[in-house]
């Protein structure tokens, strides 16, 4: 049986097979992506040349520390590599547990190919386990939460262990909606939430993922 870290490495290694010199590559965030960046550095040392754009300050810092070029003026990517918190059979996913959903969605949307790297535990027939994360504007956030609740959702403003509100890389707050039931229509849920002016973006990704790499406990990586 492979450890969780080893599974992440296995999936990251598979994702690396899609990277070629001359590409612009969107780099997501989270621990699986960190494993990917470590392996990417080895390839860069061997002569691979790419330009990247990063979905979080943390990923950007790691890329830069390895001497990998990061350019946030890029307008399109050949491919985007990221993790997810949960993914369903139709490749819809829930993202944002690592705070970075907003930039992640911007980069995924500008990418020709979106590859999501997960382990088996993140797969579901229908989304229901992970929260729907909403990035919300600090101004008027009480009113925004009231409107989210008016849609029938219940959740929590994300705070740290000292009860301080978590602030994203973009200076906003996060509201985590706990799902009571499976998410039958991710697009509909996204559009309803996005209709609230204070909701800047949601962690519901639909019609955007092209390929899923799933790391199995036994060590193999399957492509979906
Ligand atoms: C970041 O906000 C998330 O969308 C991440 O992509 C997600 O949390 C996956 O992270 P791990 O690879 O650490 O599970």
């Amino acid at each position: 049986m492979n450890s969780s870290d080893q599974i992440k490495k296995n999936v990251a290694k598979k994702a690396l097979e899609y990277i070629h010199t001359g590409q612009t590559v969107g780099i997501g965030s989270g621990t699986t992506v960190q494993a990917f960046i470590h392996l990417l550095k080895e390839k860069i040392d061997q002569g691979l040349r790419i330009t990247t754009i990063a979905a979080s300050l943390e990923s950007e810092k790691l890329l830069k520390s390895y001497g990998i070029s990061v350019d946030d003026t890029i307008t399109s990517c050949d491919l985007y590599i990221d993790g997810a918190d949960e993914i369903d059979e139709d490749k819809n996913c829930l993202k944002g547990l690592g705070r970075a959903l907003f930039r992640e969605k911007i980069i995924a949307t500008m990418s020709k190919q979106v590859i999501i790297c997960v382990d088996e535990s993140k797969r579901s027939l229908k989304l229901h386990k992970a929260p729907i994360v909403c990035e919300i504007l600090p101004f008027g956030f009480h009113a925004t939460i009231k409107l989210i609740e008016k849609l029938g959702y219940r959740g929590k403003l994300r705070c740290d262990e000292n009860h301080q509100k978590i602030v994203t890389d973009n200076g906003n707050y996060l509201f985590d909606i706990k799902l009571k039931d499976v998410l039958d229509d991710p697009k509909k849920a996204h559009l309803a939430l996005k209709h609230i002016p204070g909701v800047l973006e949601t962690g519901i990704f639909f019609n955007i993922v092209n390929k899923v790499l799933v790391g199995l406990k036994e060590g193999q990586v399957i492509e979906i």
Side-chain angles (χ1 to χ4, degrees), residues 77-91:
C77 291
D78 293 298
L79 78 162
Y80 178 59
I81 306 286
D82 201 357
D85 303 318
E86 186 176 2
I87 188 148
D88 73 13
E89 293 291 287
D90 298 319
K91 301 190 179 79

Side-chain angles (χ1 to χ4, degrees), residues 8 29-33 82-85 95-101 104 122:
K8 285 172 191 170
S29 58
T31 52
T32 314
V33 165
D82 201 357
D85 303 318
K95 292 176 56 54
L97 274 181
R99 307 180 188 188
L101 68 98
E104 287 174 352
K122 305 261 184 90

Side-chain angles (χ1 to χ4, degrees), residues 10-41:
N10 297 343
V11 187
K13 198 169 163 201
K14 189 76 193 165
L16 209 56
E17 291 177 13
Y18 291 87
I19 312 287
H20 305 290
T21 283
Q23 287 176 329
T24 48
V25 183
I27 309 281
S29 58
T31 52
T32 314
V33 165
Q34 278 176 15
F36 174 78
I37 298 173
H38 294 313
L39 295 175
L40 189 61
K41 188 214 181 290

Side-chain angles (χ1 to χ4, degrees), residues 36-50:
F36 174 78
I37 298 173
H38 294 313
L39 295 175
L40 189 61
K41 188 214 181 290
E42 291 173 18
K43 286 277 181 190
I44 299 278
D45 290 346
Q46 290 162 18
L48 178 79
R49 288 294 168 264
I50 57 168

